[in-house]
């Protein structure tokens, strides 16, 4: 994992304290699992670390940043082993205002339903790439056809017809 930390003037921030952990929420009898990330600064404002996930699934990644000049911020990303990349889940700026690009939040359209990673894990939601195809489903069922007797009417004629 590589983390590039810059201030609002796009100047690399060195010496920041960064704590990162990916955590799979508890499910049923299975306790929560954590995968801490040990980050070290390899260049000014560039932090690098590695972590290993114990199993496939959703592992929300929380990164807490603390800098003596800039303050503190916490960012949580949706990290899922079934797809590449990260998606922003939450951002608690503390005193850091411009630490995160908020484009992902702005792209949500009205009527969008967001289910956090913990709930998705608990209810077993899976995702797949959308594909266009013709859907045909044939349903075969045993049935008995009867007449709706409430819709019947008796008509008596006075003449033979």
């Amino acid at each position: 994992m590589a983390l590039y930390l810059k201030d609002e003037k796009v100047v690399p921030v060195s010496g920041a304290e960064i704590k990162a952990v990916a955590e799979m929420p508890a499910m049923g009898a299975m306790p929560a699992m954590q995968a801490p990330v040990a980050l070290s600064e390899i260049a000014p404002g560039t932090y690098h670390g590695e972590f290993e996930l114990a199993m496939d699934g959703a592992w929300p990644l929380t990164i807490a940043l603390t800098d003596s000049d800039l303050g503190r911020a916490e960012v949580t990303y949706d990290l899922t082993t079934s797809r590449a990349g990260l998606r922003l889940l939450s951002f608690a700026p503390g005193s850091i205002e411009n630490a995160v690009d908020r484009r992902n939040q702005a792209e949500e359209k009205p009527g969008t339903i967001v289910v956090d990673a913990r709930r998705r894990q608990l209810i077993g939601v899976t995702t797949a790439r959308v594909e266009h195809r013709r859907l045909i489903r044939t349903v075969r069922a045993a049935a008995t056809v009867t007449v709706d007797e409430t819709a019947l009417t008796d008509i008596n004629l006075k003449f033979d017809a």
Side-chain angles (χ1 to χ4, degrees):
M1 174 176 132
L3 177 67
Y4 305 100
L5 185 57
K6 298 179 182 180
D7 65 12
E8 66 274 359
K9 296 176 185 172
V10 195
V11 175
V13 176
S14 290
E17 180 185 336
I18 302 173
K19 293 182 180 175
V21 64
E23 181 175 5
M24 178 178 275
M27 294 182 295
M30 185 183 85
M33 293 185 283
Q34 291 188 342
V37 183
L39 290 164
S40 58
E41 189 170 7
I42 60 172
T46 303
Y47 300 82
H48 185 268
E50 293 185 10
F51 61 102
E52 190 171 323
L53 303 176
M55 62 188 291
D56 287 342
W59 291 79
L61 174 65
T62 301
I63 301 172
L65 310 164
T66 306
D67 182 73
S68 58
D69 296 330
L70 296 175
R72 176 171 168 68
E74 188 171 292
V75 183
T76 303
Y77 292 99
D78 178 15
L79 171 66
T80 303
T81 58
S82 63
R83 79 168 164 0
L86 299 172
R87 292 187 181 150
L88 181 66
L89 282 180
S90 68
F91 173 62
S95 58
I96 299 176
E97 295 298 327
N98 297 316
V100 172
D101 180 1
R102 297 181 186 214
R103 281 180 290 174
N104 289 341
Q105 290 178 341
E107 290 175 3
E108 289 182 4
K109 294 183 171 66
T112 301
I113 298 172
V114 178
V115 180
D116 65 79
R118 181 179 178 279
R119 288 187 192 270
R120 284 196 314 270
Q121 190 87 26
L122 289 172
I123 62 176
V125 172
T126 58
T127 59
R129 184 173 298 275
V130 175
E131 59 183 53
H132 186 278
R133 62 182 171 151
R134 189 169 176 213
L135 295 177
I136 298 174
R137 177 169 288 184
T138 302
V139 177
R140 297 182 190 275
T144 303
V145 179
T146 60
V147 176
D148 179 8
E149 293 183 12
T150 62
L152 294 178
T153 303
D154 286 333
I155 298 176
N156 294 322
L157 298 175
K158 294 181 180 183
F159 303 98
D160 287 334

